[in-house]
Amino acid sequence: MSTNFFTNEKDHTLLEKIEGVFKYKQVHFFDALVGYFRASGYFKIHKFIQQTPHIRILVGINVDKLTYQANQQGLLFNPNAEQSQEEFFNEIKNIQEDQCDKEVEDGMCQFIEDIMFGRIIMRIHPKQNIHAKIYIFREEVYHPHGYGSVITGSSNLTEAGLENNFEFNVELRYDDNIKFATETFEKL
C-alpha cells in the first residue's frame, strides 16, 4: 500500500523525508512553524539546509535556553559585528571542552553563525500559543507543478520529533497547499 503518511517508524522518519526533499529539490526557502524547537532538532537538519539561503523558524510555544541565547546574540550582530561575534564566541569557547559529540558541536557552531549572519530568522510568536507543525520547502522561482512541498503533522523541530517519537505526518506537493501554508506563515 502506498501512502503519503509517515510515522517515524523504520525507514520512514521526518528526518529522512526532509533529507529527501533537499536531495531532489533546489530548496531556496525553508520555513518551519512549530510549537516546540530544540537545538537538537537543528543539529539533525543543519547538514541538509546548508545550501538554503533563506530559513525562517517561527516557534509558537517553547524554545530552549541555548536557542534563545544564540538568537539574542544574533540580534546584537548589526551594531558592531566584530565585537558581537567576539563576545559571543568568548561565552561559548568552552564548547570543545564540553562532553558533546562532534555532530552537536558542529550543529551549534553552524546555528550560531546562521543566526548572526541573518541566514536564519527566528521568531517566537508573541500573542498566542501555536501548536502547529508545518515545514515549507520552496524553490527560488515559482513554477506550476512541483516547485516545493509542505510537510505537516505532529512532529516538532526536535530530535525526538524528527526521528524518535511515533509521529503522524504527511507531505503535500500541490501548489495550492504550498501557497496556503506560506500565506499563513506570513500572517503569523
Side-chain angles (χ1 to χ4, degrees), residues 117-135:
F117 289 103
R119 206 168 131 258
I120 292 179
I121 297 172
M122 186 165 198
R123 300 282 188 265
I124 310 305
H125 199 282
K127 295 181 182 156
Q128 66 190 52
N129 285 343
I130 297 173
H131 201 251
K133 290 91 172 175
I134 298 284
Y135 301 89

Side-chain angles (χ1 to χ4, degrees), residues 108-123:
M108 190 64 225
C109 290
Q110 184 67 51
F111 182 62
I112 293 163
E113 183 178 310
D114 288 346
I115 288 176
M116 290 178 67
F117 289 103
R119 206 168 131 258
I120 292 179
I121 297 172
M122 186 165 198
R123 300 282 188 265

Side-chain angles (χ1 to χ4, degrees), residues 14 46 65 74 163 178 182-183:
L14 175 56
H46 86 274
K65 183 178 177 183
E163 60 184 351
I178 298 165
T182 303
E183 288 173 355

Side-chain angles (χ1 to χ4, degrees), residues 3-76:
T3 180
N4 291 332
F5 290 102
F6 51 99
T7 60
N8 283 352
E9 293 180 304
K10 299 182 184 173
D11 294 328
H12 301 289
T13 67
L14 175 56
L15 184 63
E16 291 167 330
K17 185 62 82 169
I18 289 172
E19 179 181 14
V21 171
F22 280 97
K23 183 176 181 180
Y24 295 108
K25 293 278 184 196
Q26 295 293 324
V27 179
H28 192 80
F29 302 99
F30 173 65
D31 297 327
L33 169 61
V34 292
Y36 292 89
F37 175 86
R38 297 285 183 264
S40 66
Y42 180 80
F43 299 159
K44 290 291 187 179
I45 68 168
H46 86 274
K47 59 187 167 234
F48 309 127
I49 64 174
Q50 288 179 0
Q51 302 304 313
T52 305
H54 300 284
I55 301 165
R56 299 182 300 174
I57 301 170
L58 179 58
V59 181
I61 296 175
N62 184 288
V63 65
D64 62 12
K65 183 178 177 183
L66 189 61
T67 301
Y68 176 79
Q69 289 173 344
N71 193 18
Q72 290 300 101
Q73 291 297 323
L75 293 174
L76 297 175

Side-chain angles (χ1 to χ4, degrees), residues 97-169:
E97 298 168 10
D98 287 345
Q99 298 296 322
C100 61
D101 62 22
K102 178 107 171 86
E103 181 181 25
V104 171
E105 180 181 335
D106 290 348
M108 190 64 225
C109 290
Q110 184 67 51
F111 182 62
I112 293 163
E113 183 178 310
D114 288 346
I115 288 176
M116 290 178 67
F117 289 103
R119 206 168 131 258
I120 292 179
I121 297 172
M122 186 165 198
R123 300 282 188 265
I124 310 305
H125 199 282
K127 295 181 182 156
Q128 66 190 52
N129 285 343
I130 297 173
H131 201 251
K133 290 91 172 175
I134 298 284
Y135 301 89
I136 307 167
F137 310 85
R138 293 176 292 136
E139 293 181 1
E140 184 172 12
V141 177
Y142 170 80
H143 57 86
H145 311 297
Y147 80 105
S149 66
V150 174
I151 295 175
T152 187
S154 60
S155 291
N156 281 299
L157 190 46
T158 65
E159 182 176 11
L162 290 170
E163 60 184 351
N164 297 335
N165 289 349
F166 181 87
E167 303 282 356
F168 215 87
N169 298 299

